[in-house]
Amino acid sequence: MGQMTINGVAIDMPAGANISIVNGIVTIGGRKATTYSQSGSVVVNITGDVGNLTADGDATVTGNANDVSAGGSVTCGSVAGDVTAGGSVRAAGRLGGSISAGGSVRIG
């Protein structure tokens, strides 16, 4: 079991789940989990491993992921697949796929 925080609101999630956080709707494993207010910027923090993550704001994964796509910046551990970010990418671990970033890229 992992935990996701969206703009300070905690949501439990199964480890390795596919997560989508887009247009105020949070979907975990294909099922709508909750909605949130989109006022201001959206910041997503995940503690634990996640499958695929899609977010329309900044995303931080304290753990590993398969693929990560964010409209803002991405900070993560290891990613087995691809990382796409509208902002910068900072990865502490190994990246298995390609990186597309609107800003800087830092690995390690």
Side-chain angles (χ1 to χ4, degrees), residues 31-58:
R31 298 177 122 169
K32 182 178 170 184
T34 189
T35 59
Y36 63 91
S37 171
Q38 284 192 278
S39 60
S41 63
V42 177
V43 178
V44 178
N45 293 300
I46 295 179
T47 302
D49 295 340
V50 65
N52 299 325
L53 171 63
T54 303
D56 51 7
D58 293 342

Side-chain angles (χ1 to χ4, degrees):
M1 183 70 76
Q3 189 172 69
M4 171 174 41
T5 305
I6 301 172
N7 291 355
V9 177
I11 301 168
D12 288 332
M13 55 163 230
N18 293 326
I19 310 282
S20 173
I21 304 135
V22 178
N23 295 326
I25 300 171
V26 179
T27 306
I28 300 174
R31 298 177 122 169
K32 182 178 170 184
T34 189
T35 59
Y36 63 91
S37 171
Q38 284 192 278
S39 60
S41 63
V42 177
V43 178
V44 178
N45 293 300
I46 295 179
T47 302
D49 295 340
V50 65
N52 299 325
L53 171 63
T54 303
D56 51 7
D58 293 342
T60 298
V61 179
T62 306
N64 303 309
N66 289 334
D67 292 308
V68 179
S69 176
S73 296
V74 172
T75 303
C76 59
S78 293
V79 177
D82 301 329
V83 177
T84 304
S88 62
V89 174
R90 183 174 184 179
R94 180 182 64 79
L95 296 178
S98 64
I99 300 172
S100 175
S104 63
V105 175
R106 182 175 174 186
I107 301 173

